[in-house]
Amino acid sequence: MADQDRKYMEAALKLARRGIGSVEPNPAVGAVLVKANQVVGKGWHKKFGGPHAEINALQDCKKLGFNPKAAAMYVTLEPCCHQAKTGPCTEAIIAAGVVKVVVAAIDPSEHANGKGVERLRNAGIEVETGVCEAQARLLNAPFFKFAATGKTWVILKWAQSIDGKVAYAHTTPRRQWISGEQSRKDVHKLRRRVQAILVGINTVIADDPLLTARPSKGKNAARIVLDGNLRIPLDCKLLATAKKVPVLILTSQQALRENPQIVEKITQKGAEVLAYSEEEARSNLHFLTCELAKRDIVQLLVEGGPTVIASFLKEQLADQIVIYISPKILGGSGSIGITEPMAALTEAVGLHHVEIERFGDDVRLTGLSKKTLEEISICP
């Protein structure tokens, strides 16, 4: 791989990252146009349903007063060749007179999967693939997993003190946050990336959360509650807003049979009740993730308490873990710790491609599971 190719592709990857949180469930894509060793156009996919990165790069080129004819384009994902919310990027590239296209990763979707590259080559354009491919796959790992396996990407997120406490004790006079304001703002960015957010019923009863991203930027993820015995308060914020932002209650068929009036009241408020059978009770999380995949939910954010987090880990359903660590030692003023429920795990959970970033005094640690990396063809 030429150093120049890597340099321009890394620039395209940097542009692509700007779209994270606005383009999902579509992938974040960046594109750079180069002519005579000079960047003459830049673009990225800015929002879901909007022009793709390649189109924005071509428009930027013309806006800057350059002609894209005979230029090379560096793009982080194979250009599309089908008509969807926008026109095929391959045709725009061909019409612009671009002579070379360098692609980081092939789009594994059924409508693509090499078809875009083939269309460009058939038009006489030189195409090179695989430049910074690992970085491109990691950037859009949830998209690649869903396209390759049909499975929803599961993110486990929690905030904790240094001594592993995830909340203050209920005896605390007023509600106090474990994490700082900058960390909480970052969580809202995370919420904007996903199509569904999940908590357990104990979180709903204790905190009465709304589970929406603020600011929403025009979209909000569906809210999911694990509620095996239908204990959800009928006056909670989730049900009060269910007609505006979807709410799904996962319960047991036994609870469904025994509480028809509660089910009716929940559905009247606009929420959906989904039941798993008694035979599926031990694997209700597998049942849920399969159901979400059928609904084209590419990313699920789990914000539940320690028991819910540990359950996903036990079932080996976690793709990504995001932990906000606050420089506090709560001791006796803290409630249950994250470590107690995890003591039931029979196997160690290792994280790979770990990233650490500071948010004020807090530290955010993120990492991916080995199983997930193998599914998207990335070495741990």
Side-chain angles (χ1 to χ4, degrees), residues 132-290:
C132 298
E133 181 177 6
Q135 296 96 308
R137 283 181 166 271
L138 282 172
L139 177 67
N140 288 304
F143 168 79
F144 278 96
K145 175 178 177 175
F146 194 80
T149 69
K151 296 178 182 178
T152 298
W153 180 273
V154 178
I155 306 168
L156 305 185
K157 164 260 160 185
W158 69 87
Q160 67 170 69
S161 61
I162 291 174
D163 56 343
K165 304 295 184 179
V166 298
Y168 283 86
H170 294 303
T171 54
T172 303
R174 60 183 179 84
R175 181 178 182 180
Q176 297 186 49
W177 296 98
I178 291 286
S179 56
E181 183 179 355
Q182 290 185 40
S183 292
R184 298 198 298 275
K185 285 183 178 179
D186 188 63
V187 171
H188 285 285
K189 290 182 180 179
L190 186 57
R191 286 180 175 181
R192 284 194 289 272
R193 280 175 43 192
V194 304
Q195 293 78 58
I197 301 170
L198 180 145
V199 295
I201 184 58
N202 290 334
T203 296
V204 177
I205 293 172
D207 299 335
D208 193 17
L210 196 55
L211 298 180
T212 54
R214 296 182 290 277
S216 67
K217 293 189 176 181
K219 64 175 184 176
N220 267 305
R223 287 84 55 86
I224 302 172
V225 182
L226 300 180
D227 186 7
N229 296 309
L230 285 178
R231 295 190 293 136
I232 188 166
L234 296 177
D235 60 349
C236 69
K237 293 177 182 176
L238 290 175
L239 293 183
T241 57
K243 292 183 179 178
K244 294 182 179 179
V245 182
V247 173
L248 175 66
I249 312 297
L250 181 69
T251 192
S252 64
Q253 288 189 0
Q254 181 179 348
L256 204 66
R257 291 191 300 268
E258 295 177 352
N259 302 282
Q261 292 180 335
I262 294 178
V263 172
E264 183 179 1
K265 290 178 180 178
I266 290 173
T267 55
Q268 284 177 348
K269 289 179 175 289
E272 179 184 356
V273 178
L274 179 65
Y276 54 86
S277 68
E278 283 71 13
E279 292 76 21
E280 294 167 326
R282 290 187 177 181
S283 59
N284 59 352
L285 298 183
H286 286 278
F287 168 78
L288 173 64
T289 53
C290 287

Side-chain angles (χ1 to χ4, degrees), residues 23-87:
V23 302
E24 290 83 0
N26 284 350
V29 181
V32 172
L33 276 168
V34 178
K35 191 173 182 179
N37 293 322
Q38 178 184 0
V39 174
V40 295
K42 299 178 181 179
W44 69 94
H45 187 25
K46 296 181 179 180
K47 65 178 181 177
F48 179 77
H52 288 183
E54 300 93 323
I55 305 302
N56 286 331
L58 289 169
Q59 290 177 346
D60 183 56
C61 178
K62 294 176 182 177
K63 182 179 179 181
L64 292 172
F66 295 106
N67 187 341
K69 187 175 182 179
M73 176 177 284
Y74 292 79
V75 60
T76 59
L77 189 69
E78 174 187 12
C80 65
C81 61
H82 67 289
Q83 179 69 46
K85 291 181 180 294
T86 59

